[in-house]
Amino acid sequence: MDEIDELLSIRAAELYYEDNKTQDEIGQALRLTRWKVGRLLAQAKQRGFIRIEILHPRARRLPIERRLRDERGLADAIVVSSAGVGSSEELQARTAQAAADYLTAMRPVPRTLGVSWGRTLFEISQQLRNGWAIGVNVVQINGGVSLNRRPGTAAATAVGIAQKGGGSATLLPSPAILERLATKEAIEADRVVAGVIELARSADVFLFSAGAADRTSVHVESGYLSEADVDELVRKGAVGDVVGRYIDSDGNIVDPALDARTVGLTLDELRRAPIGIAVISGPAKHAVADAVVRSRLCSVLVTDEATALHLLDG
Amino acid sequence: MDEIDELLSIRAAELYYEDNKTQDEIGQALRLTRWKVGRLLAQAKQRGFIRIEILHPRARRLPIERRLRDERGLADAIVVSSAGVGSSEELQARTAQAAADYLTAMRPVPRTLGVSWGRTLFEISQQLRNGWAIGVNVVQINGGVSLNRRPGTAAATAVGIAQKGGGSATLLPSPAILERLATKEAIEADRVVAGVIELARSADVFLFSAGAADRTSVHVESGYLSEADVDELVRKGAVGDVVGRYIDSDGNIVDPALDARTVGLTLDELRRAPIGIAVISGPAKHAVADAVVRSRLCSVLVTDEATALHLLDG
DNA sequence: GGTAATCCTGCTCATATGAGCATCCGGCGA
DNA sequence: TCGCCGGATGCTCATATGAGCAGGATTACC
């Protein structure tokens, strides 16, 4: 394409998209046939001179979703648009909104939903509308009830999701990570805890997020891990955690001893789930998102545009 | 429009613009009739959810051009897009390019073109292509030959425009501003100078830019004015200069004494021109652009998007 | 200079889209 | 309860657009 055609295609695009002229009118104005105008417009599109953006908090990026499904083997992918996003909080909110939308639209409606907890999950629970499901039972899939800085957000998350879905919540009454292996085994042997975990295993849908392996982690904030612990995990190759279990970029457990002291479903149990929905957004979580998808921890991914593009680049 | 329709219009827009589905297919997917889909898309457009941008250095903004013509009474307006612009140099280059394009496309081809000088004019002379006109005579309309920091740019501008247009240039051999009124009158009385000015008056098209009234002005750089002079002009209400003559926001001469010592066409002579093309871009020149348009110093304006919107806001 | 391959152009025809209009539905006053 | 009104809905029909194709121009190569 030479320069003259490039310029013509721009003039045509202006008249077509900004001035709402028909291709025929443009042809008359520029002394071209309408077919030529059509071809110029097609070329302008194809060469990327024309950008069409959908500016809305609920906008998604369907072509990227398709590529994620096809190239990364996901059962489903939801990618929210980053267009016009101001803060990372807004990105987080958009992603949580999209996750809530996805849950609401699920058919068949989930009967038993296993959930983790954290900032993302809490936001999802807030975005869900009353009546999003009819009688869904929510069960926590990992520990972490008491030690939160804002006590009760883990419980509030599960209960909120359940109430708005017209069902009840089953909490896992245990810390996330215990200091001694023996204590962890004792807790898991407890009849109530064992029952909850058993129920969790039977969930037909899991909903969880992932944390980045850095000092801002909720596990540090909650006091389950020290900053030095996290540094050590990173040194061993950790890129983040899923349901409290730290993984490397291939999705393998980084520190088996630590993992053995972590209460809740194991990653393999998560992998065997019929439907596992991971909700992961923000630049800090690119690496862990990649690990989650690569190691098939989820079958459905809800994320933002930048993270999705990162997954497709690799 | 309620929230459900808003969401549907976004989903429809995604399928239509990103996935290239037909409205009918979208209707099947979303369980709507194709007419409903059409209306949803129209609403999404109308409510501004859909933004179509043309990303190209030569892209223009036709709707803004139309408004400038209609609302500000210009014979013609060229507005270059600011989309994806990096530096103010790039904006300047785009505007100069657009001015060169406009000159090249002019019909009838100008026979005698009166030009001022400055950074913008020099850039236009560079952007013009060989053979942009057939035998155009270029004449300088204001003084300023010798005192430039880069000597000869004023001359190079006029000569370059003329040569590429297959014609010759007539330079105005005079400083821009003289220190004494008597000297200025003596120079204008000179046979050669008087002849050039007479020729300039007869030009069928004028091409000029405008300078901001600040210390970065070419008149300060060239030494015709001191920084203190400019400060004083600003104090008197100057917003910028056209062909070396400083005006206030209504287009009136700010300092008649200074103006009397300035060599070249007067503003009233400029206003009487059949076609006067002003090329003005950059945030620093919003005020002077407004003054130029308001006081009808030009009939054609070439500018950038931000400046154009500033003119329309007022 | 001749020939072939390639690209470009402008047609026919099928399809997609938008304008205008009759109809339907839900709310409201009599 | 009835009938009226305003807005939404889905039709008909005219128009706009895109795909495919045959002829013509242009270029590269011999």
Side-chain angles (χ1 to χ4, degrees):
Chain A
M1 199 195 211
D2 55 357
E3 196 196 326
I4 192 80
D5 262 21
E6 182 167 328
L7 257 181
L8 276 176
S9 76
I10 296 303
R11 295 286 157 262
E14 288 161 359
L15 291 161
Y16 192 71
Y17 291 107
E18 300 194 338
D19 249 16
N20 289 321
K21 304 242 187 214
T22 72
Q23 296 186 5
D24 209 2
E25 286 175 312
I26 297 168
Q28 288 175 308
L30 303 181
R31 301 169 171 266
L32 303 166
T33 60
R34 70 181 189 81
W35 298 280
K36 176 78 176 171
V37 173
R39 276 187 273 262
L40 286 172
L41 288 172
Q43 280 176 66
K45 248 192 206 164
Q46 185 231 319
R47 302 180 109 217
F49 296 156
I50 294 163
R51 173 154 85 205
I52 300 184
E53 263 183 332
I54 301 177
L55 293 166
H56 194 282
R58 308 281 273 266
R60 285 162 45 188
R61 306 305 316 275
L62 304 182
I64 301 178
E65 294 179 1
R66 181 195 310 285
R67 289 184 58 202
L68 274 180
R69 283 193 297 266
D70 295 350
E71 297 175 24
R72 303 302 306 258
L74 291 165
D76 211 346
I78 310 294
V79 177
V80 300
S81 162
S82 305
V85 109
S87 58
S88 68
E89 284 76 31
E90 195 183 337
L91 197 67
Q92 173 101 337
R94 284 191 181 189
T95 314
Q97 175 69 262
D101 288 348
Y102 188 79
L103 281 176
T104 306
M106 273 187 93
R107 294 293 178 278
V109 176
R111 302 182 55 80
T112 305
L113 176 67
V115 301
S116 70
W117 52 268
R119 288 182 278 257
T120 303
L121 267 286
F122 182 68
E123 180 121 26
I124 295 171
S125 76
Q126 301 239 293
Q127 300 275 15
L128 279 167
R129 302 213 152 201
N130 273 319
W132 72 269
I134 322 144
V136 68
N137 289 307
V138 177
V139 54
Q140 288 186 323
I141 59 178
N142 62 328
V145 174
S146 53
L147 259 181
N148 290 311
R149 189 152 293 177
R150 296 191 203 165
T153 49
T157 300
V159 171
I161 297 174
Q163 279 187 346
K164 291 180 176 173
S168 61
T170 308
L171 303 182
L172 180 58
S174 160
I177 304 173
L178 293 154
E179 288 183 30
R180 297 182 50 239
L181 179 58
T183 322
K184 183 262 191 178
E185 287 173 342
I187 283 199
E188 282 199 342
D190 175 84
R191 218 186 50 218
V192 173
V193 171
V196 173
I197 292 179
E198 191 54 43
L199 180 62
R201 278 194 197 100
S202 75
D204 43 6
V205 178
F206 291 111
L207 178 70
F208 55 92
S209 185
D214 61 35
R215 296 174 166 199
T216 67
S217 153
V218 283
H219 295 106
V220 175
E221 192 182 294
S222 304
Y224 290 119
L225 294 177
S226 68
E227 295 192 345
D229 291 335
V230 172
D231 292 347
E232 175 66 10
L233 285 165
V234 170
R235 207 190 50 74
K236 290 180 179 170
V239 294
D241 80 285
V242 176
V243 291
R245 301 177 189 277
Y246 279 83
I247 56 176
D248 63 20
S249 60
D250 292 321
N252 297 317
I253 294 295
V254 167
D255 182 340
L258 172 68
D259 198 66
R261 291 188 279 115
T262 306
V263 176
L265 293 194
T266 65
L267 295 187
D268 282 332
E269 286 170 328
L270 215 49
R271 286 194 181 92
R272 282 197 293 271
I275 299 177
I277 306 170
V279 185
I280 308 174
S281 79
K285 297 190 177 177
H286 286 182
V288 67
D290 193 52
V292 166
V293 172
R294 183 189 303 277
S295 67
R296 309 202 156 277
L297 274 163
C298 69
S299 55
V300 178
L301 176 67
V302 182
T303 189
D304 64 83
E305 194 172 342
T307 306
L309 289 173
H310 174 82
L311 298 186
L312 291 170
D313 270 356
Chain B
M1 196 195 213
D2 55 356
E3 194 195 327
I4 193 79
D5 262 20
E6 183 167 326
L7 257 181
L8 275 176
S9 75
I10 295 303
R11 296 285 156 261
E14 288 161 359
L15 292 162
Y16 191 72
Y17 291 107
E18 300 194 339
D19 250 15
N20 289 320
K21 304 242 189 218
T22 71
Q23 296 186 5
D24 208 2
E25 286 173 312
I26 296 168
Q28 287 175 307
L30 302 181
R31 302 169 171 266
L32 303 165
T33 60
R34 70 181 188 80
W35 298 281
K36 177 76 177 171
V37 174
R39 277 187 271 260
L40 286 172
L41 288 172
Q43 280 176 70
K45 248 191 208 167
Q46 187 231 320
R47 302 180 105 216
F49 295 157
I50 294 163
R51 172 154 87 205
I52 301 183
E53 262 183 333
I54 301 178
L55 292 166
H56 195 283
R58 309 278 273 267
R60 285 160 45 187
R61 308 303 316 275
L62 304 182
I64 301 177
E65 295 180 0
R66 182 195 310 286
R67 288 184 58 202
L68 274 181
R69 283 193 296 266
D70 294 351
E71 298 176 24
R72 303 304 304 259
L74 291 164
D76 210 345
I78 310 295
V79 177
V80 300
S81 162
S82 304
V85 110
S87 59
S88 68
E89 283 75 31
E90 196 183 336
L91 197 67
Q92 173 102 337
R94 284 191 181 190
T95 313
Q97 174 70 258
D101 288 348
Y102 188 79
L103 280 177
T104 306
M106 275 188 90
R107 294 294 178 278
V109 175
R111 302 181 54 80
T112 304
L113 176 66
V115 300
S116 70
W117 53 268
R119 287 182 279 255
T120 303
L121 267 287
F122 183 67
E123 181 123 23
I124 295 172
S125 76
Q126 301 239 293
Q127 301 274 16
L128 278 167
R129 302 216 153 200
N130 272 319
W132 72 267
I134 320 147
V136 68
N137 290 307
V138 176
V139 55
Q140 288 187 321
I141 58 179
N142 60 330
V145 174
S146 53
L147 262 180
N148 289 310
R149 189 152 294 177
R150 297 191 202 165
T153 48
T157 299
V159 170
I161 296 175
Q163 278 185 348
K164 290 179 177 174
S168 61
T170 306
L171 304 182
L172 180 59
S174 160
I177 303 172
L178 292 155
E179 287 182 31
R180 297 182 49 238
L181 178 59
T183 323
K184 184 261 192 178
E185 288 174 342
I187 283 199
E188 282 198 346
D190 176 86
R191 217 185 54 217
V192 173
V193 171
V196 173
I197 292 180
E198 191 52 44
L199 179 61
R201 279 195 196 99
S202 75
D204 43 7
V205 178
F206 291 110
L207 177 70
F208 54 94
S209 184
D214 60 35
R215 295 175 168 200
T216 68
S217 153
V218 283
H219 295 107
V220 174
E221 193 184 292
S222 305
Y224 291 119
L225 294 177
S226 69
E227 296 192 345
D229 291 335
V230 173
D231 292 348
E232 173 66 10
L233 285 165
V234 170
R235 206 189 52 71
K236 290 181 180 167
V239 295
D241 80 286
V242 176
V243 292
R245 302 177 188 278
Y246 280 82
I247 55 176
D248 63 21
S249 60
D250 292 321
N252 297 317
I253 295 296
V254 166
D255 181 340
L258 172 67
D259 197 66
R261 291 189 280 113
T262 305
V263 176
L265 293 194
T266 64
L267 296 187
D268 281 333
E269 285 169 327
L270 216 49
R271 286 193 181 94
R272 283 198 294 270
I275 301 178
I277 306 170
V279 185
I280 309 173
S281 80
K285 298 191 176 177
H286 285 183
V288 67
D290 193 51
V292 166
V293 172
R294 181 189 304 279
S295 67
R296 308 202 159 277
L297 274 162
C298 69
S299 55
V300 177
L301 176 68
V302 182
T303 190
D304 64 84
E305 193 172 344
T307 306
L309 290 173
H310 173 82
L311 297 188
L312 290 169
D313 271 355

